[in-house]
Amino acid sequence: MRVVAVNIGQPLQVQTGGRSVLTSIFKKPASGPVKVGRLNLEGDRQADLTVHGGFNKAVYVYPSEHYSYWREELRDSELGWGTFGENLTTEGLFESAVHIGDRLQIGSAIFQVSQPRMPCFKLAVRMNRPDMVKRFWASGRSGFYLSVVREGALKAGDGIDRTALGQPPVSVAEMVRLYRDPNPSREELLRALATPLSPEWKTELRERLVLARGL
């Protein structure tokens, strides 16, 4: 497992649908080592902190292997690393094998997997496709967010070492499936809630647990 590209970007004002939107989804690969802070990578900044960024969404990871799928789906689009707004484009790290709470060492920094990515309308702005959010979510290729356990530095080409397995082991893919399931079981919800999932997602799952109990 390794880092293919480290991508950073600053907030930009873009015009869409007759209005101006501030977004940091336009990211480009960085050259050389990049410092890792508690809330983001050096040179990267989230535009809207009410829905992006924070301790549980400091760094966004997207598997490079998904790009072949999207290049078939979006043949008229140029898809360079960082297109989906990811900070780390990776190799060998899939949602089906990465668990909530897994700890990953990359370079001298240590991260913890905190939640899947829930796409917002800015992905549609980035791709200039009104249906992009729906297509992205339906694809099951969500990527995932990391919190920063230990600050450090990393660069493209660095290996990725899983130093601890999240407990109970619930994969990112399982979490996405559970979130999308209109009738999740109480047992599955309780297991997911026992993971170190981000508070935002836990709130949603607790609401579903109430419904599953028939209260």
Side-chain angles (χ1 to χ4, degrees):
M1 300 183 292
R2 70 183 184 95
V3 176
V4 174
V6 181
N7 311 296
I8 57 177
Q10 291 289 313
L12 297 171
Q13 290 285 351
V14 298
Q15 298 298 316
T16 179
R19 61 177 175 143
S20 180
V21 174
L22 186 68
T23 177
S24 295
I25 200 169
F26 293 87
K27 299 188 188 299
K28 297 293 184 182
S31 59
V34 175
K35 291 182 180 179
V36 178
R38 287 290 179 185
L39 298 178
N40 49 29
L41 302 182
E42 185 176 52
D44 190 70
R45 187 159 63 89
Q46 297 91 355
D48 184 355
L49 294 177
T50 64
V51 291
H52 298 293
F55 290 106
N56 292 298
K57 292 187 283 187
V59 175
Y60 175 48
V61 176
Y62 202 64
S64 63
E65 292 87 350
H66 293 343
Y67 273 77
S68 60
Y69 169 85
W70 289 115
R71 285 174 180 138
E72 284 295 315
E73 289 286 307
L74 310 172
R75 295 193 178 191
D76 58 343
S77 298
E78 184 177 340
L79 304 180
W81 304 137
T83 292
F84 297 95
E86 76 270 17
N87 298 112
L88 302 181
T89 312
T90 59
E91 181 180 271
L93 204 60
F94 296 98
E95 293 91 343
S96 58
V98 173
H99 307 86
I100 303 299
D102 281 2
R103 292 209 170 184
L104 306 174
Q105 179 160 359
I106 310 173
S108 59
I110 296 177
F111 304 88
Q112 181 165 296
V113 179
S114 57
Q115 67 171 73
R117 184 231 189 130
M118 175 72 76
C120 75
F121 78 97
K122 292 179 180 179
L123 180 60
V125 172
R126 171 68 178 85
M127 305 304 296
N128 195 28
R129 291 175 178 270
D131 65 343
M132 190 61 203
V133 171
K134 182 178 180 179
R135 292 176 71 166
F136 185 87
W137 190 235
S139 76
R141 295 165 171 81
S142 67
F144 51 91
Y145 281 104
L146 305 175
S147 61
V148 177
V149 177
R150 186 180 75 191
E151 297 178 327
L154 51 73
K155 64 183 183 304
D158 279 348
I160 301 172
D161 182 25
R162 178 160 28 199
T163 61
L165 180 68
Q167 296 294 331
V170 178
S171 73
V172 171
E174 287 179 284
M175 198 65 73
V176 170
R177 180 192 58 76
L178 181 61
Y179 190 93
R180 295 172 61 184
D181 188 344
N183 297 297
S185 72
R186 182 173 180 274
E187 290 72 22
E188 286 181 309
L189 289 168
L190 287 172
R191 187 163 177 265
L193 285 167
T195 70
L197 186 65
S198 68
E200 176 186 354
W201 274 63
K202 281 197 172 184
T203 296
E204 173 68 23
L205 295 185
R206 286 192 184 100
E207 291 175 358
R208 289 170 179 248
L209 182 60
V210 170
L211 294 175
R213 286 171 173 167
L215 299 179

